[in-house]
Amino acid sequence: YSKDDDDKGHYIYGNKDIWYPDSIETKTQIAVFHTSPRNDAFEVKNENGGKGTRSMLRLDSISLYNYSDRKLSGDAATPLLRVHFDYNYSLCTGIPNGTAGKLTLKGIYFTSFTSFKGRRNGYEFQYASFNPGYNIQATDRWGTYKPDSGSLLNRFFPYTTQDTSLVNGYASAWLLEKISLPSGGYISVNYESDQY
């Protein structure tokens, strides 16, 4: 417990620079990174907290160009290959530094030259059905999701629940569960909690 009159307290505040590569060049090819602002990961307003106005960027696509074509034609050059990233904000809703949930990668697909047929044959990502909303207190001392119980709040009792059926479900919160492959196959992922 904390006391209002104990004259003690602390906070941490700082600044950081975030750099994003615009392109990478080799002797024969140029990769260009296309980004846009995210709807989460907003900066802190000031040292007293709050949500600022600027957010980090997300990677929308990567275009791979022939070096000569890109240098001669600039933005009018046709990419040899383009990797597209499909997102939404469906996981961990209610975060304080965003407008909905956390940035969630839903799929990746490839296109080449002017053909967009690859859009129908990409990788699709599905996440665990257990998708609780954001709660800064909902974690055990190991950083795994654990909801606050009515009788013992996590800040007073941060120990892992010993009910295996519950903790295995908690271990899957917001995590990748299935990858659907362009070949028609899929990769399934199961989670279980560590034992302490």
Side-chain angles (χ1 to χ4, degrees), residues 22 32 34 63 65 69-79 82:
D22 181 58
V32 177
H34 309 277
S63 297
Y65 295 93
D69 185 29
R70 178 71 179 181
K71 289 297 183 183
L72 292 173
S73 304
D75 290 339
T78 303
R82 191 164 186 168

Side-chain angles (χ1 to χ4, degrees), residues 96-121:
N97 68 338
T99 58
K102 290 186 177 183
L103 184 68
T104 306
L105 181 63
K106 296 297 287 183
I108 298 174
Y109 65 93
F110 300 86
T111 57
S112 55
F113 294 102
T114 57
S115 172
F116 285 88
K117 292 180 181 178
R119 184 183 302 245
R120 288 180 257 139
N121 298 310

Side-chain angles (χ1 to χ4, degrees), residues 95-167:
I95 57 174
N97 68 338
T99 58
K102 290 186 177 183
L103 184 68
T104 306
L105 181 63
K106 296 297 287 183
I108 298 174
Y109 65 93
F110 300 86
T111 57
S112 55
F113 294 102
T114 57
S115 172
F116 285 88
K117 292 180 181 178
R119 184 183 302 245
R120 288 180 257 139
N121 298 310
Y123 295 85
E124 294 181 10
F125 304 106
Q126 294 176 348
Y127 296 85
S129 58
F130 185 58
N131 182 17
Y134 175 81
N135 180 348
I136 195 169
Q137 299 292 335
T139 180
D140 64 16
R141 71 173 0 155
W142 303 103
T144 302
Y145 177 80
K146 176 189 167 199
D148 264 333
S149 67
S151 57
L152 285 173
L153 300 177
N154 288 337
R155 65 178 175 255
F156 305 125
F157 190 79
Y159 306 105
T160 304
T161 305
Q162 297 303 305
D163 185 340
T164 305
S165 62
L166 286 176
V167 293

Side-chain angles (χ1 to χ4, degrees), residues 125-129 168 171-172 175-180 186-192:
F125 304 106
Q126 294 176 348
Y127 296 85
S129 58
N168 286 345
S172 69
L175 297 179
L176 186 64
E177 188 173 70
K178 182 179 179 182
I179 304 171
S180 298
Y186 62 89
I187 299 170
S188 290
V189 183
N190 294 316
Y191 297 95
E192 65 179 35

